[in-house]
Every structure is written in C-alpha cells, then in structure tokens.
C-alpha cells in the first residue's frame, strides 16, 4: 500500500493549475457526483421492495412483518412501551402492605375501646359507637387499597 501513488500525498508540482478555491470546488463537485451516483443505485432497490414482497406473499401467503422492520420505540423509550409482569406484581404487593396497616389500626381501635371502658364504664355505649365508626373508616380504606392493588396487578 505504501508505494501506491493513490496513498502518497500530492506534491505541489502534481496539482492542477489554478487557485486553491478552484481545487476546493472541483473536489466538492466530485464528492457530490459520487453521492448522487450512490443514491441513484439505491433508489431502484427501494422501489422494487414492495413488488418483491408482493411476489413472496402471492407464493407463500401473508408474511409476518419482521421485528426489525416494524416501527417501535428504540433505545431509552423501549422500556416505557410495555411493562413486564413482574412490575405489576411488585406494585400490587407494595399496595397490599397498606391492608396490614388497616388491620393494625383496627386492633389498636378495639384496644383503646377496652381501656376506655375500664376507665369509665358509664360511657360504654358512646365509646362502642365511636369505635364502630372508626372501624368503618378503616374497612373502607382497606377495600380501596385492595381495589387499587387489583388495578395495579391486572393493568398493562
């Protein structure tokens, strides 16, 4: 390769006569001609692809599009396009932790009822009413948490 005149630098005596601006214009013209020739050879191939695929479909039936040809997110957008099943199960499990918190709240509520009755037995009916109202709120919260966990589990 080293002795080929193509790879050796041109010497000033080998340059064509003219100004450096003319040399730049000539090299730019050669480059644009080469790019136009490459595009001209690629255009008929791209135009023939639908006809080629139609011939294959006629001979072998419908052809499923390959994953490389289908338009879809590539790169950083790909993980956001479709969640895996593990993510939904993980979200459901994290949401179900709140049901344990509701159960703990109901336990503390009835423990406070027992302590309140022991301190003042005459308030027994009022304390029990307040306890049932609090338990209703906690049960409602538990039902909402279970619904949200189900939505997280079966959403896709």
């Amino acid at each position: 390769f080293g002795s080929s005149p193509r790879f050796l630098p041109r010497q000033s005596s080998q340059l064509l006569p003219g100004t450096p601006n003319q040399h730049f214009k000539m090299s730019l013209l050669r480059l644009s001609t080469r790019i136009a020739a490459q595009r001209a050879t690629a255009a008929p191939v791209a135009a023939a692809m639908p006809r080629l695929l139609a011939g294959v479909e006629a001979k072998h039936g419908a052809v499923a599009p390959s994953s490389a040809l289908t338009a879809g997110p590539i790169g950083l957008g790909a993980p956001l396009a479709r969640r895996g099943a593990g993510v939904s199960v993980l979200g459901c499990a994290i949401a179900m932790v709140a049901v344990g918190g509701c159960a703990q709240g109901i336990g503390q509520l009835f423990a406070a009822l027992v302590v309140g009755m022991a301190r003042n037995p005459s308030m027994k009916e009022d304390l029990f009413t307040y306890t049932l109202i609090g338990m209703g709120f906690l049960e409602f919260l538990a039902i909402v948490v279970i619904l949200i966990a189900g939505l997280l589990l079966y959403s896709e």
Side-chain angles (χ1 to χ4, degrees):
F1 288 162
S3 62
S4 172
R6 181 176 175 186
F7 296 106
L8 293 175
R10 290 189 176 179
Q11 302 195 2
S12 60
S13 62
Q14 293 177 336
L15 293 176
L16 297 173
T19 64
N21 194 18
Q22 289 174 338
H23 293 299
F24 176 72
K25 287 179 183 179
M26 287 301 293
S27 60
L28 189 62
L29 179 64
R30 275 190 231 116
L31 180 65
S32 63
T33 307
R34 191 177 317 141
I35 291 172
Q38 288 174 352
R39 286 186 182 165
T41 57
V45 173
M49 280 304 274
R51 289 181 292 179
L52 177 66
L53 288 177
V56 170
E57 285 179 359
K59 188 183 279 187
H60 300 290
V63 177
S66 106
S67 62
L69 297 177
T70 57
I74 298 172
L76 293 176
L80 300 177
R82 185 169 182 268
R83 289 188 313 162
V87 176
S88 59
V89 171
L90 185 64
C92 176
I94 291 171
M96 290 300 287
V97 170
V99 174
C102 292
Q104 182 183 3
I106 290 173
Q108 287 181 350
L109 193 65
F110 278 100
L113 173 67
V114 170
V115 169
M117 283 183 183
R119 287 178 183 247
N120 193 355
S122 64
M123 294 276 304
K124 181 168 134 181
E125 291 83 18
D126 291 337
L127 291 175
F128 190 71
T129 304
Y130 297 144
T131 302
L132 290 181
I133 291 172
M135 188 180 135
F137 283 131
L138 285 172
E139 286 294 326
F140 174 73
L141 180 62
I143 290 170
V144 168
V145 166
I146 290 172
L147 289 176
I148 290 175
L151 285 174
L152 288 173
L153 182 62
Y154 294 110
S155 68
E156 186 57 38

